[in-house]
Amino acid sequence: MKEIPTRFGFGEALVELGHENENIFVVECDIAKSTRTDMFCSVYPKRHINVGVAEQNAAGFAAGMATMGKIPFVSTYAVFGSMRMCEQVRTSICYPNLNVKIACSHGGVTPGSDGVTHQAIEDMGIYRTIPNMTVVMPADYFAAKAIVKAAAEYVGPMYLRFTRDPVPCIYSEKEVFTIGKAKVCKEGNDIAIIAIGDMLIQALNAAKELESKGISAKVIDMFTLKPLDEACVIDVVENIGKIITVEDHNWLNGLGSAVSDIVAREGKGIVRKVGLQDKFAESGPYKDLLKKYNMDSSDIVKFAQELCK
């Protein structure tokens, strides 16, 4: 299975969008080669603004552009895009509900050997709590291309999260994604595995192993964390009742918490979370980190077997 970082899909989609819409701009924080906005810069240099290592300025600059009808994509690493510029995004972008996209690479522990300083484990939870903000994370290269294009059509603040390291390609280039609508990747009736981003492949691998053990798992790609597809979750609660959430993020305030909110409101069902267990990881290969911190397919299988006893 071919593996490509989702940031590559982001960069390529920007180039295509730039050709289609002259209002597409990139506001870059001096790491264009890493975020892959260098692709856009090489074709549309006048619409690629590098503000330097000044993320707060990038947010304010983009907010101003949005008031003039432009569609700016602010690009940096997820740790900086969610924390260093959080106040500016909250007050200057989300409060006035401006059409700015915060598009960040290096989400979760996918930076691997870059270490804790570059592993964003809090970002989706931070932006999930800010009114007017939409939060999405594509699962692979093809999903990234499609979702970036959908983001350009979607009016309002949005946080897009991409991977540094390559992840397996799951979808085809013809796949269609609708912001706020989950995708069912595999049907099943014993347990539901709801995943986001790079963890979708772990969910699919776990489902395959569970099939060999006589457990039928439904796999859902909840690529939009906010607004969450509540109808999808309620359907799972009503018809299956057992849920495992899977995320490359602190298991507090991310996908697991969002799903649990709905399950609690419905008053039935049970949820188990797979994610980083409220701790910092360390430097190391991405896949090794998933294994060490109990975030790979084997941990999903373990939870599923316990729930289905």
Side-chain angles (χ1 to χ4, degrees):
M1 188 179 290
K2 190 174 184 180
E3 297 190 357
I4 309 173
T6 58
R7 60 193 168 111
F8 282 52
F10 165 57
E12 292 177 21
L14 280 178
V15 174
E16 294 177 21
L17 285 169
H19 177 71
E20 298 166 3
N21 188 342
E22 64 181 10
N23 285 321
I24 299 291
F25 279 73
V26 170
V27 181
E28 175 60 60
C29 299
D30 210 32
I31 46 174
K33 287 185 178 179
S34 290
T35 61
R36 297 322 314 260
T37 66
D38 59 333
M39 302 180 189
F40 186 90
C41 184
S42 66
V43 183
Y44 310 105
K46 292 184 178 180
R47 284 191 273 155
H48 184 277
I49 298 94
N50 184 356
V51 299
V53 185
E55 288 81 6
Q56 295 95 334
N57 290 347
F61 191 90
M65 294 178 71
T67 66
M68 302 301 293
K70 308 304 180 185
I71 307 174
F73 282 77
V74 179
S75 184
T76 182
Y77 292 157
V79 286
F80 308 136
S82 61
M83 287 183 277
R84 187 172 291 176
M85 59 195 262
C86 182
E87 179 187 352
Q88 288 72 26
V89 171
R90 174 190 180 274
T91 305
S92 299
I93 295 173
C94 290
Y95 178 50
N97 203 19
L98 296 177
N99 193 26
V100 176
K101 318 304 174 186
I102 311 298
C104 294
S105 178
H106 292 51
V109 298
T110 71
S113 298
D114 285 351
V116 169
T117 57
H118 287 61
Q119 293 169 1
I121 61 167
E122 315 89 349
D123 54 325
M124 292 193 293
I126 290 170
Y127 278 135
R128 174 181 169 240
T129 63
I130 299 179
N132 295 329
M133 178 63 88
T134 295
V135 180
V136 300
M137 184 179 187
D140 74 354
Y141 161 83
F142 292 111
K145 289 192 71 174
I147 290 170
V148 169
K149 292 178 181 180
E153 297 293 325
Y154 191 95
V155 179
M158 182 179 292
Y159 178 66
L160 301 103
R161 189 196 210 218
F162 306 106
T163 68
R164 175 195 182 275
D165 272 24
V167 292
C169 291
I170 299 167
Y171 294 108
S172 75
E173 60 184 355
K174 297 180 181 179
E175 199 75 36
V176 177
F177 294 82
T178 301
I179 303 298
K181 185 68 175 177
K183 294 186 76 68
V184 177
C185 300
K186 179 186 175 298
E187 291 290 354
N189 50 40
D190 291 327
I191 195 162
I193 306 172
I194 304 178
I196 188 170
D198 54 302
M199 299 302 280
L200 179 60
I201 188 62
Q202 301 296 331
L204 289 168
N205 288 343
K208 185 176 181 180
E209 184 175 346
L210 288 168
E211 285 291 338
S212 70
K213 299 178 183 296
I215 297 175
S216 173
K218 183 171 187 173
V219 179
I220 297 167
D221 179 3
M222 193 65 74
F223 65 90
T224 308
L225 176 60
K226 181 187 175 186
L228 198 74
D229 188 344
E230 293 194 10
C232 176
V233 177
I234 291 171
D235 178 71
V236 166
V237 171
E238 293 290 341
N239 295 295
I240 298 176
K242 302 180 183 70
I243 301 170
I244 299 174
T245 60
V246 191
E247 57 194 311
D248 183 359
H249 187 272
N250 192 337
W251 66 357
L252 300 179
N253 204 27
L255 176 64
S257 295
V259 170
S260 295
D261 287 346
I262 298 172
V263 173
R265 188 186 67 199
E266 294 300 303
K268 56 184 173 181
I270 186 169
V271 179
R272 291 290 182 267
K273 301 178 185 180
V274 172
L276 196 60
Q277 299 174 23
D278 196 25
K279 63 182 67 176
F280 293 111
E282 60 190 274
S283 295
Y286 162 56
K287 292 178 182 178
D288 289 350
L289 293 177
L290 292 182
K291 186 173 182 63
K292 176 169 182 176
Y293 292 102
N294 306 118
M295 296 164 63
D296 68 4
S297 60
S298 64
D299 297 288
I300 303 171
V301 169
K302 178 182 176 182
F303 273 135
Q305 289 178 303
E306 291 175 356
L307 288 175
C308 291
K309 281 182 181 178

